[in-house]
Amino acid sequence: METTYAWLWTLLAFSLTWMVFHLIKKKKAATKEAEAEAEERIDGAADVIIVGAGVAGAALAYALAKDGRRVQVIERDLKEPERFMGELMQPGGRLMLAQLGLEDCLEEIDAQEAKYLAIYKDGKHATLPFPNDNKFPYEPVGRTLRNGRLVQRLRKKAASLSNVHLEEGSVKSLIEERGVIKGVTYKNSTGEETTAFAPLTVVCDGCYSNLRRSLVDNNEEVLSYMVGYVTKNSRLEDPHSLHLILSKPLVCVIYQITSDEVRCVAEIPTDSIPSIANGEMSTFLKKTMAPQIPEIGNLREIFLKGIEEGLPEIKRTATKRMMVALSDTLILRNLLRPLPNLGNTKKVSEVVKSFYIIRKPMSATVNTLANVFSQVLIATTDEAREGMRQGCFNYLCNGDFRTNGIIALLGGMNPRPLTLVLHLVAITLTSMGHMLSPFPSPRRFWHSLRLFALALQMLGALLKDEGVKEMLIPTNAAAYRRTYMTTTK
Ligand SMILES: Cc1cc2nc3c(=O)[nH]c(=O)nc-3n(C[C@H](O)[C@H](O)[C@H](O)COP(=O)(O)OP(=O)(O)OC[C@H]3O[C@@H](n4cnc5c(N)ncnc54)[C@H](O)[C@@H]3O)c2cc1C
Ligand SMILES: *[C@@H]1O[C@H](CO)[C@@H](O)[C@H](O)[C@H]1NC(C)=O
């Protein structure tokens, strides 16, 4: 949810940023193949270079090294990152970690169990659990956490393998020869410019990447920003819920990230961000946002307390989730596993092609949810839009199978784009029904038609972005579930 808050399953929105995971290896004529293989099998050199050791890079390094590859990881800063992002690991993300053998990285970091989405609007609220869906082969509980601590655990676990070489260095450019990426140029820890070569280079440099700019277009519009701060020495009365408040102009989210720290986030449209430096932001949070935080438990008290404790951080909202990064890692590992030699350009190109198809159910579900919620949860004076916002809230609060269905989607427990599309259609129809009741005046009728048009337009755009076939044909999603979502508890 871009305009709304950050997490997917909190339904919130993130827009734009990208997690990155871009496998680079361009297609090359098959004739060059033998030659490439010969020159790339250098003794002592790495089989894979990974740029960036965030969640994706560190997990991939571990996974590939476990398969016997020699991995060189180049990370700009090996200190524990201090940042407000990636603080919710959905149940689906935990399953992926377990599949990669990395579930212990969620331990010893004082992560908190996330079992519910608590959603609030205009004095009403509902607490919705991640459903106990027996098709989901893992505990239906997520974790909220300090992202930096998780990243350090993952780095440490990867670096503990003897065939992983993790070093500090800042990658400046990719070395490309005849359309094939051969390696990277980087500044190493002594500040000297140097190079590294490997048959395969994977760039995992995060959502604020500049390397990626040369690889993919990323001209998404930034619709909103998230302002976040931590309230120290505090414990929510309900620490196992993500508290999502449908406020105006956008949502607020509050959750426990360690046993005594609470994260508070307010999402703010790009065109109206108060200045942090001159204190306007804290006035805005106190005067405009805080009164909208329900006085249920100690939510408002904790929201207010944190405003006094230091300057908030501000971030673009982002769409990609750790869950997608981990799912990508798992897919890539499985696809590369049968290749004896990563220098085989043709085979690796095929892997890349399959990778983009296989990842689709998870990435399309996550992106679509984020997009939809970001658009729908914006408070406006437009009656049609407001009808949709209310309809969405009602749909979520039902507490029946529909609610379970959508919470499972949000938690990455059921990566099926078609199911999501059906929910969106149902939300639209419910919202229209709601607008027309108790009796359909011409005005209401008109607004419900507009709502319908809006929904169609939104859905059309999403189908276009993600691909009609990918979204609507269920076989790919079924294959994904079969391969990546079965495991022992
Ligand atoms: C504001 C915000 C909130 C978010 N909230 C959530 C959330 O609640 N739940 C969730 O699941 N996801 C969330 N996400 C998304 C989540 O952060 C990403 O999915 C996840 O961090 C992706 O991991 P990554 O490894 O790709 O990137 P990162 O974790 O950003 O790691 C990239 C790494 O690459 C390094 N690097 C970058 N450039 C270079 C270079 N040139 N040379 C060497 N190293 C380099 C960086 O130092 C960094 O360590 C959020 C994102 C944002 C922006
Ligand atoms: C950094 O790169 C330079 C130039 O290649 C090299 O001489 C030096 O040993 C490297 N330093 C480290 C710490 O790797």
Side-chain angles (χ1 to χ4, degrees):
M1 321 196 135
E2 347 241 288
T3 50
T4 47
Y5 173 65
W7 318 352
L8 173 22
W9 71 278
T10 56
L11 303 191
L12 322 194
F14 268 79
S15 95
L16 328 189
T17 14
W18 274 65
M19 155 213 136
V20 174
F21 196 105
H22 194 94
L23 176 70
I24 312 162
K25 188 86 186 186
K26 296 191 186 152
K27 281 182 235 170
K28 188 53 192 170
T31 48
K32 293 276 191 290
E33 201 184 306
E35 184 195 332
E37 276 191 45
E39 81 187 51
E40 276 160 344
R41 202 62 211 180
I42 309 161
D43 272 351
D47 299 311
V48 191
I49 294 170
I50 296 177
V51 179
V55 171
L60 185 66
Y62 179 81
L64 295 182
K66 272 280 173 192
D67 282 352
R69 312 281 184 196
R70 292 162 304 176
V71 185
Q72 178 172 10
V73 191
I74 305 170
E75 162 57 48
R76 189 162 46 201
D77 186 357
L78 287 172
K79 286 195 303 294
E80 179 173 316
E82 272 273 350
R83 52 183 195 179
F84 128 60
M85 61 186 332
E87 293 178 335
L88 170 67
M89 182 67 76
Q90 283 98 337
R94 285 185 65 213
L95 170 62
M96 297 298 143
L97 275 176
Q99 307 250 43
L100 289 162
L102 290 167
E103 69 269 52
D104 57 321
C105 294
L106 288 171
E107 286 157 21
E108 294 164 38
I109 57 172
D110 199 16
Q112 304 293 302
E113 291 191 337
K115 299 181 180 168
Y116 313 94
L117 173 64
I119 173 167
Y120 306 82
K121 183 177 189 288
D122 306 329
K124 295 209 185 93
H125 72 103
T127 301
L128 316 158
F130 284 118
N132 223 328
D133 174 354
N134 44 24
K135 286 196 220 100
F136 179 69
Y138 204 72
E139 188 194 20
V141 177
R143 292 284 185 272
T144 48
L145 47 88
R146 282 264 185 197
N147 179 279
R149 294 187 188 168
L150 171 64
V151 168
Q152 286 311 81
R153 291 273 298 179
L154 292 167
R155 286 175 180 172
K156 205 168 148 202
K157 186 146 176 180
S160 72
L161 301 176
S162 61
N163 46 342
V164 171
H165 175 62
L166 171 60
E167 71 171 296
E168 201 161 68
S170 181
V171 173
K172 299 297 169 199
S173 60
L174 304 169
I175 301 167
E176 188 174 333
E177 252 172 53
R178 289 167 298 166
V180 179
I181 304 292
K182 299 283 182 182
V184 299
T185 309
Y186 67 108
K187 259 208 174 101
N188 69 13
S189 56
T190 47
E192 282 166 281
E193 191 145 305
T194 181
T195 50
F197 294 92
L200 182 66
T201 300
V202 185
V203 178
C204 304
D205 61 349
C207 39
Y208 303 116
S209 145
N210 33 27
L211 281 179
R212 204 163 14 107
R213 225 166 277 154
S214 59
L215 301 170
V216 288
D217 302 331
N218 187 9
N219 47 9
E220 280 175 273
E221 189 192 354
V222 182
L223 294 171
S224 67
Y225 281 80
M226 295 192 306
V227 177
Y229 53 89
V230 171
T231 308
K232 301 232 163 68
N233 304 316
S234 298
R235 190 143 179 98
L236 292 165
E237 237 157 69
D238 173 5
H240 300 304
S241 287
L242 276 124
H243 301 271
L244 169 63
I245 298 129
L246 302 194
S247 49
K248 291 183 182 173
L250 292 175
V251 301
C252 288
V253 187
I254 301 176
Y255 51 96
Q256 193 78 41
I257 47 173
T258 66
S259 48
D260 63 353
E261 291 172 304
V262 177
R263 166 69 73 191
C264 302
V265 186
E267 200 168 335
I268 303 182
T270 304
D271 54 11
S272 56
I273 298 177
S275 151
I276 293 184
N278 70 11
E280 278 172 23
M281 179 65 83
S282 84
T283 309
F284 171 82
L285 292 171
K286 263 186 277 189
K287 298 265 148 63
T288 310
M289 299 319 296
Q292 301 187 63
I293 306 295
E295 287 184 288
I296 295 176
N298 50 1
L299 282 176
R300 190 185 292 181
E301 189 189 312
I302 286 178
F303 187 89
L304 277 166
K305 180 167 174 270
I307 301 173
E308 309 296 343
E309 290 178 357
L311 293 179
E313 284 178 75
I314 185 155
K315 286 275 159 67
R316 247 177 351 185
T317 43
T319 40
K320 303 288 151 95
R321 285 321 106 103
M322 289 188 287
M323 188 165 69
V324 179
L326 292 168
S327 162
D328 284 350
T329 301
L330 195 61
I331 295 168
L332 197 52
R333 180 201 67 183
N334 285 9
L335 289 174
L336 290 175
R337 210 169 235 181
L339 302 192
N341 181 355
L342 299 181
N344 187 328
T345 319
K346 182 158 159 259
K347 291 249 172 64
V348 174
S349 298
E350 283 161 13
V351 162
V352 174
K353 229 188 266 163
S354 315
F355 171 74
Y356 282 110
I357 297 168
I358 297 171
R359 74 189 292 271
K360 204 75 197 186
M362 180 61 99
S363 70
T365 308
V366 170
N367 287 344
T368 305
L369 266 169
N371 272 318
V372 166
F373 283 111
S374 73
Q375 293 181 50
V376 166
L377 298 184
I378 312 176
T380 64
T381 47
D382 178 334
E383 282 185 47
R385 284 189 172 272
E386 194 46 41
M388 217 189 263
R389 188 165 177 260
Q390 183 66 42
C392 227
F393 179 78
N394 295 346
Y395 193 88
L396 271 170
C397 292
N398 269 322
D400 60 9
F401 71 98
R402 290 172 291 179
T403 308
N404 285 344
I406 206 142
I407 300 285
L409 287 163
L410 285 169
M413 300 164 66
N414 187 18
R416 270 193 281 221
L418 179 60
T419 306
L420 176 55
V421 169
L422 296 176
H423 277 291
L424 297 179
V425 170
I427 291 176
T428 305
L429 297 177
T430 326
S431 308
M432 289 173 71
H434 185 82
M435 280 194 101
L436 290 172
S437 63
F439 56 89
S441 68
R443 181 191 152 80
R444 287 168 165 221
F445 192 68
W446 164 241
H447 285 306
S448 79
L449 277 185
R450 283 189 44 241
L451 187 156
F452 187 66
L454 265 171
L456 270 188
Q457 193 189 1
M458 213 185 281
L459 207 60
L462 291 169
L463 289 175
K464 186 168 153 265
D465 283 355
E466 298 292 341
V468 177
K469 197 171 96 213
E470 287 81 356
M471 292 290 282
L472 301 182
I473 298 181
T475 47
N476 197 7
Y480 180 94
R481 283 187 65 94
R482 266 198 314 277
T483 314
Y484 296 99
M485 304 204 63
T486 48
T487 184
T488 47
K489 284 252 175 197

